[in-house]
Amino acid sequence: MTTLAKYIFLVITLTFMSCEDVIDLDLPAAAPRLVIEASLDWEKGTLGNEQTIKLSLSKPYFDADGITAVIGSSVKVTNDTDGTVFVFIDQNNGLYTTDSFIPILNQSYTLEVIHNGDTYIAHETLMPVVDIQDVRQSLEGGDDDEALDVTIYFNDPIAETNFYLLKFKEQGDLFPALFDLKDEFTNGNQMSAYFEKFNDEESDEEEFVSGDVVDIQFYGVSQQYYNYLHILIGQLNSGGGPFGSTPVGLKGNCLNTSNPSKTAFGYFRLTQVVQTSYIFQ
Amino acid sequence: MKQLSLLIILFTSLLSAQENYTISGTIKDVNNGETVFGASAYFKDTTTGVSSNEYGFFSLTAPKGTYTLIVSYMGYTDYSKTIVLDQNQSFDIELTENSTQLDEVVITSEESEQVSIKKPQMSVTKLNATTIKQMPVVLGEVDLIKSIQMLPGVTNNGEASSGFNVRGGAADQNLVLLDEAIIYNTSHLLGFFSVFNADAIKDVKLYKGGIPARFGGRVSSVLDVRQKDGNNKEFALTGGVGIISSRLAAEGPLYNDKGSFLVAGRSSYAHLFLKMAGEKNSLSFYDLNLKTNYNINDSNKIFLSGYFGRDNFDFSGNFKSNYGNLSGNLRWNKIFNEKLFSNLSLIYSKYDYQVIFDAEQLDWVSDIKNYNVKYDFKYFTSPKISFDFGASTIYYEFNPGEVKPTGDDSSINYLKLDQKRALESGLYLNAEHKITDVLTAEYGIRLSTFSRLGGQTLNEYENNQPVVYNDVLGVYESGTAIGETVYKKDDEIESYSNLEPRLALSYQINENSSVKASYNKVSQYIHLLSNTASVSPLDVWAPSGKFIKPQIADQFAMGYFRNLRDNSLALEAEVYYKTVDNRIDYIDGSDLIGKNNIETQILNGESRAYGLELLLRKSKGDFTGWLAYTLSKSEQRALGGNAGGPGINNGNWYNTAYDRTHDISFTGAYKWNDKWTFGTNLVFQTGRPATFPNGQYQYEGQSIASYSERNANRLTNYHRLDISAIYTPNRKPDNKLRGEWMFGIYNVYNRKNAASISFGQNKDSGENEATRTAIFGIVPSVTYNFKF
């Protein structure tokens, strides 16, 4: 529903003589902060013991150099019920890994990261996900009746309020398209979500054709993480547009207990995930 | 004894001086019988003078004697008549236009200068349709809302935004009235064009401050738009053919010359060409204005007016939307006697929209309706004092949204958001008092009440907190609902009442200059929920109630007014300071669509605005126009309050989206000869506040922008030059058809003014980019207007 306003703006800009161009802009640069990408995703049907946490530093917006990896930090995750500690080992490239993680659905865990003397703490619960019932392609779905789209179908559980993260990535693309979903208007129904591409000369985007492969990942997420994702994805898609929400500073759940004003970017999430791929016919 | 007789003589002369008589009447245009609003009527060489009201009525009271009555109105020849005032008398006065050219340039100040210097009313501008039609416009579409943006203190959010902003106020803080009916959305095609068809409009008055007591309900301004009554002398057709739309208006006498009518229609057709060119998307609009009036007798007159407008969007057949206003008004003017004028109005207005979203198989409708009864009186008590008083009641029905699945395999559940009902009433008394020859005061009081009616269910929240600060994460979240309260239809959920004093003073320094000061308090009980930078037509109105408090504005203004060079130049300088309490603000990540419990997404904030406005206007001669400059600041903040925590944006003041530090507008028209008139607009504005990133980080394989404080940055400055030329071909004196060609170039030097700047990663290179969206580059246009 939130896409409505964007559609309207699209109509306007398409129909009128509007133009878009990339401009040079001087932006203020904030001091670098720690970024914690602690996404412990447990693929259904696997052990889920191998997990990776990424640490890096933020940098000025137009800085095109690679990621500044953070090494030498201490990273561990604790099962809040039985106190089991999973230590993540520094790979000296910004990645911290473990092969002994034990995922338990609806279990809460605590993340602790110690970096440059500051301690960062986050709490989160591992959320389950339902299976994808079906994946289909069509012309009629999506926004354009003449462009191919891929649609997934799943049955939303009626007993509780559910939140989902969905990733579609065409093989060969630089990054995936992210969607945040909730069952506010659709509780207990079969829900669907589609992914479609348009021919766009400016961004070189092309409609799907037979043979294209799309990787799909479907996550169950907590309400709190959904709130975070909803802002993040909204800003990825329309940051600064006239009918987009005013962009805001995203606040994750990794709190700096030594220096509360300097919370880390990123999030500590625990999810169950199902994944599949679809090849266009 | 001698002394006594002298005393008696003196006393009787005083008594006879008290023997006052009144002349009254209606001021009209000789050509079409339209009543004239704001003409000044006065006795020459005295200080006795008034201006005609909205229905052209005036009343002058003076001691017995012989006077020269002068009636003047900008653009018209002065009317002069010797009056022997030895009894009450009443007659109509017809004014003759200076020239009968179609392209005549008339820019009126609020009243003709003679009175405006003296009148306490300030912060007000009146434009008539002729002025508005004269200004260069984008695509040749005459636009009232764009015209008022050339005035000091009035801006909007760029080319793709609805509404307008007055003195740092939001778009929903403007009371927009079309023949007294509330218009909820002033824009066609999202702000490209306004809903007012210039062929049907007589005049427009914008109150930016010092709002008279007869108006209430919006805290920033009143835009009072009046439709023409219709020519009661002869049948006339006017119209125009443009690139985007065409117009046609018919008017003429009716009911054996006891009345007249006006029908005006306008429709866009650009979408037809686009369809032919294979464009899958289309958008279009049309509107219809109606008015008729009937003179029952000299003291009773009835008016019926209506407006209907609609916009249609179609995005590849998958996403369709239509929206529009509907309004109707039945009025009864009654003149009780020479001194007492009254008007009773029954008004209906409605705004609704529909969205059809094929991909999701859903249909969404939403509307707001109101019924309004108003009874207003004007009492011309004596030469020194006159009163306005009256009462009004508005009954509102809000339907925030109804979602229906449109197909069998739609995943959408049927949902109807709670209907809301409310009653808003006002009672006012206002006096205009000539204290001395140089000091005039206008003081008024308005008692407003608002009652949120039952017939719905409201949530109860844990600790009475619909929004809670999560102090672990440092974010605002929805509160936990712990129960519901059911309000029956005859229950009252919440009620508010406010006393709103209004005061204005003018002190005349000399014949040509005055200083004025004003104060007003205004309450606003209904609010437009909008958390985006620009207001969209799909935003929903919400009434005050248990969770949303009424907005209360206090505004102080002072000004210096001066007529120069034999009244051909006028200078106005004003400063203002305005505060608004209970301005709604939205928590980070707020989601307003399809929400029954909006209270979980908002905090009660406040706003403040202050500024300096200068206006230099030339209203006589071959060259007319004005230069306006505004220096201003508009900020808002929302503290945590009951929800806890520091508040939105850490509780710091931040720029509103309509803060403009500098705003310069120049508009001018030059009449070269009888055939050619040239016009120009020049606009410069500080860029709109926006929120830019101050860093980036990698997350989910993408570069995520980290944004700084709200509205801490600005888009680039906005500037633009437009030019126009109006060509009126020669015509034979006996040819009834008068035509004119209007050529225009909007944005002559093709400035790419940023409507927005968005940030994202290039899909090929992965590099971060700032992308500017500019709406209109250079746009030429041609329009043909005719009058028959």
Side-chain angles (χ1 to χ4, degrees), chain B residues 266-526:
Chain B
R266 180 170 62 150
S267 174
S268 70
Y269 44 71
H271 62 288
L272 300 175
F273 302 130
L274 292 170
K275 276 242 162 85
M276 281 190 281
E279 175 66 52
K280 281 185 283 185
N281 309 309
S282 82
L283 65 176
S284 61
F285 70 88
Y286 62 89
D287 48 30
L288 195 62
N289 297 66
L290 297 166
K291 190 150 176 184
T292 179
N293 65 82
Y294 177 68
N295 270 315
I296 301 168
N297 54 37
D298 280 350
S299 49
N300 287 282
K301 196 171 181 182
I302 284 178
F303 298 82
L304 180 67
S305 55
Y307 168 80
F308 181 66
R310 209 82 199 150
D311 276 61
N312 283 295
F313 285 18
D314 186 343
F315 183 67
S316 300
N318 264 314
F319 170 78
K320 289 180 215 154
S321 177
N322 63 80
Y323 61 88
N325 297 288
L326 169 69
S327 74
N329 183 358
L330 179 64
R331 275 180 286 183
W332 174 34
N333 272 193
K334 182 171 175 59
I335 299 167
F336 283 95
N337 57 46
E338 305 79 31
K339 293 182 174 184
L340 184 61
F341 178 92
S342 76
N343 179 64
L344 174 68
S345 300
L346 301 173
I347 312 161
Y348 171 78
S349 55
K350 176 183 177 184
Y351 175 74
D352 74 304
Y353 68 75
Q354 180 184 29
V355 173
I356 301 156
F357 208 175
D358 268 8
E360 304 281 352
Q361 298 190 347
L362 73 83
D363 177 5
W364 172 282
V365 290
S366 169
D367 63 64
I368 175 171
K369 287 196 273 261
N370 75 261
Y371 304 86
N372 185 358
V373 184
K374 253 178 98 200
Y375 208 179
D376 298 299
F377 295 86
K378 188 163 183 83
Y379 186 46
F380 298 86
T381 318
S382 74
K384 301 274 181 221
I385 194 157
S386 65
F387 292 99
D388 291 293
F389 54 96
S392 85
T393 287
I394 306 173
Y395 171 72
Y396 293 101
E397 279 180 12
F398 302 82
N399 173 17
E402 188 177 356
V403 190
K404 286 181 219 157
T406 52
D408 289 341
D409 49 349
S410 172
S411 61
I412 299 292
N413 292 336
Y414 174 81
L415 172 75
K416 187 166 188 178
L417 298 180
D418 291 339
Q419 308 279 297
K420 295 167 186 150
R421 302 183 305 134
L423 202 60
E424 180 178 347
S425 301
L427 200 62
Y428 72 90
L429 174 64
N430 186 69
E432 191 172 327
H433 185 182
K434 207 172 283 170
I435 299 167
T436 70
D437 278 354
V438 292
L439 184 66
T440 307
E442 194 173 341
Y443 29 82
I445 188 110
R446 183 179 181 91
L447 171 67
S448 62
T449 61
F450 188 81
S451 167
R452 172 75 176 273
L453 305 171
Q456 68 170 113
T457 301
L458 285 179
N459 277 351
E460 299 285 335
Y461 294 93
E462 200 173 81
N463 304 321
N464 246 333
Q465 290 174 305
V467 175
V468 187
Y469 184 67
N470 177 334
D471 49 3
V472 177
L473 296 182
V475 294
Y476 285 94
E477 293 173 344
S478 301
T480 311
I482 51 169
E484 286 182 342
T485 309
V486 179
Y487 293 90
K488 290 199 219 80
K489 272 231 162 173
D490 42 5
D491 287 347
E492 189 176 58
I493 295 174
E494 188 73 69
S495 71
Y496 294 97
S497 69
N498 285 293
L499 262 186
E500 306 171 11
R502 318 280 172 91
L503 178 67
L505 282 171
S506 82
Y507 176 78
Q508 203 177 344
I509 301 167
N510 56 39
E511 193 63 15
N512 288 317
S513 60
S514 65
V515 285
K516 300 182 188 183
S518 71
Y519 163 74
N520 69 229
K521 186 188 271 294
V522 189
S523 323
Q524 175 166 351
Y525 298 99
I526 69 169

Side-chain angles (χ1 to χ4, degrees), chain B residues 217-239:
Chain B
R218 299 290 186 283
V219 297
S220 272
S221 78
V222 178
L223 182 69
D224 190 10
V225 183
R226 303 259 162 190
Q227 297 196 91
K228 290 204 281 195
D229 295 332
N231 194 325
N232 67 11
K233 305 263 169 161
E234 57 181 1
F235 183 80
L237 268 180
T238 49

Side-chain angles (χ1 to χ4, degrees), chain A residues 8 12 17-19 21 23 30 37 59 61 63 143 167 176 185-186 189 204-205 225 239 242 251 255 269, chain B residues 190 274 283 318 411 413 415 472 474 532 534 588 694 696 699-700 702 758 760 763-764 768 770 772 774-775:
Chain A
I8 290 183
I12 285 294
M17 286 143 274
S18 74
C19 77
D21 55 356
I23 55 168
E37 184 169 4
K59 56 183 188 175
Y61 187 72
D63 187 341
D143 303 318
K167 283 201 255 185
F185 301 110
T186 52
N189 296 352
D204 288 331
E205 187 175 282
Y225 184 56
K251 288 178 177 168
L255 306 175
R269 82 170 183 219
Chain B
L190 294 166
L274 292 170
L283 65 176
N318 264 314
S411 61
N413 292 336
L415 172 75
V472 177
T532 53
S534 290
D588 287 356
N694 60 7
Q696 61 159 324
Y699 186 73
E700 277 294 330
Q702 313 203 26
S758 58
K763 282 182 179 166
D764 290 326
N768 283 340
R772 166 178 68 188
I775 306 289

Side-chain angles (χ1 to χ4, degrees), chain A residues 1-4 7-23 25 27-30 35-37 39 58-64 67 142-146 167 174-176 178 182 184-187 189-191 194 203-205 224-225 228 230-232 235-236 239-253 255 265-267 269, chain B residues 139 160 189-190 192-193 274 280-283 313 315-316 318-319 355 357 359-360 362 364 411-413 415 470 472-475 477 531-536 538 588-589 591 593-595 691-707 710-711 713 752 756-777:
Chain A
M1 294 299 299
T2 45
T3 52
L4 295 187
Y7 277 106
I8 290 183
F9 188 65
L10 201 58
V11 176
I12 285 294
T13 49
L14 280 174
T15 314
F16 281 89
M17 286 143 274
S18 74
C19 77
E20 289 195 343
D21 55 356
V22 173
I23 55 168
L25 202 64
L27 290 179
V35 183
I36 301 175
E37 184 169 4
S39 301
S58 66
K59 56 183 188 175
Y61 187 72
F62 288 122
D63 187 341
I67 301 164
D143 303 318
D144 190 329
D145 278 348
E146 287 159 33
K167 283 201 255 185
L174 277 181
F175 27 75
L178 306 180
K182 60 178 171 178
E184 186 177 9
F185 301 110
T186 52
N187 186 34
N189 296 352
Q190 184 184 65
M191 289 174 66
Y194 61 85
S203 68
D204 288 331
E205 187 175 282
Q224 210 165 64
Y225 184 56
Y228 173 86
H230 183 67
I231 300 178
L232 182 140
Q235 289 180 181
L236 271 179
F243 298 112
S245 301
T246 308
V248 295
L250 259 180
K251 288 178 177 168
N253 63 348
L255 306 175
F265 291 125
Y267 212 95
R269 82 170 183 219
Chain B
L139 292 162
L189 308 185
L190 294 166
F192 289 113
F193 310 111
L274 292 170
K280 281 185 283 185
N281 309 309
S282 82
L283 65 176
F313 285 18
F315 183 67
S316 300
N318 264 314
F319 170 78
V355 173
F357 208 175
E360 304 281 352
L362 73 83
W364 172 282
S411 61
I412 299 292
N413 292 336
L415 172 75
N470 177 334
V472 177
L473 296 182
V475 294
E477 293 173 344
N531 60 353
T532 53
S534 290
V535 168
S536 103
L538 306 187
D588 287 356
D591 193 353
I593 293 173
K595 271 264 180 312
T691 311
F692 291 163
N694 60 7
Q696 61 159 324
Y697 54 91
Q698 284 291 315
Y699 186 73
E700 277 294 330
Q702 313 203 26
S703 164
I704 308 295
S706 62
Y707 287 93
R710 280 196 190 186
N711 288 347
N713 313 92
K752 287 180 180 169
S756 68
I757 294 177
S758 58
F759 297 88
Q761 257 176 304
N762 184 297
K763 282 182 179 166
D764 290 326
S765 67
E767 278 179 23
N768 283 340
E769 291 174 343
T771 306
R772 166 178 68 188
T773 303
I775 306 289
F776 287 121

Side-chain angles (χ1 to χ4, degrees), chain B residues 772-787:
Chain B
R772 166 178 68 188
T773 303
I775 306 289
F776 287 121
I778 181 167
V779 187
S781 67
V782 57
T783 308
Y784 178 75
N785 293 320
F786 61 89
K787 194 169 184 174

